[in-house]
Amino acid sequence: MSDKKSPDAPGAGTDVIVETKPKTKKPPLYKVLMLNDDYTPMEFVVHVLERFFQINHSQAIEIMLTVHKKGLAVVGVFPYEIAETKVNQVMDLARKNQHPLQCTFEKE
Ligand code: TYC
């Protein structure tokens, strides 16, 4: 019943250990980027960050100001479908409010 070879059998003490790679692959991640423009009100961008990215008010102000000064900022990192959904939510709300706010995503 036992797999163990008797100590003096041929091949004794020469078992091969095969290292297998873990089978669970991490999903690729995507950065969601918020882009600056000259017209979208700062308060609207802060609202969007709080609503769709669960960012608290003071952090949302900080990120909005980074976008305002630098032109863009990463506002979150997500699997493909979540990144796509967030971008669509932002763009839909911006369009409904007639703001030119742009949001996009790219592979990390
Ligand atoms: N630059 C805009 C303004 O001065 C504010 C702004 C910030 C717009 C961030 C877009 O992603 C943005 N009203």
Side-chain angles (χ1 to χ4, degrees):
M1 269 315 209
S2 163
D3 287 345
K4 281 242 155 65
K5 298 179 175 88
S6 81
D8 46 3
T14 60
D15 289 351
V16 175
I17 297 167
V18 178
E19 288 197 14
T20 53
K21 278 195 185 154
K23 289 219 170 70
T24 51
K25 272 220 182 120
K26 288 187 208 144
L29 294 176
Y30 292 79
K31 300 183 285 192
V32 173
L33 305 163
M34 198 72 82
L35 309 184
N36 190 35
D37 66 73
D38 291 339
Y39 305 103
T40 304
M42 292 183 170
E43 300 74 26
F44 182 81
V45 178
V46 170
H47 169 73
V48 159
L49 294 173
E50 292 174 311
R51 175 160 172 190
F52 298 125
F53 298 92
Q54 284 76 47
I55 295 169
N56 73 44
H57 191 66
S58 62
Q59 271 188 308
I61 291 171
E62 246 180 68
I63 294 170
M64 179 280 296
L65 287 173
T66 300
V67 179
H68 177 69
K69 288 179 202 152
K70 307 228 166 172
L72 83 180
V74 175
V75 299
V77 177
F78 308 97
Y80 186 92
E81 286 190 359
I82 296 176
E84 184 187 40
T85 300
K86 302 238 178 233
V87 167
N88 287 337
Q89 288 172 324
V90 172
M91 299 294 284
D92 282 353
L93 191 66
R95 209 173 298 120
K96 280 185 183 129
N97 288 274
Q98 301 187 310
H99 298 314
L101 182 63
Q102 294 294 311
C103 184
T104 183
F105 67 112
E106 65 182 35
K107 204 161 182 205
E108 203 180 38

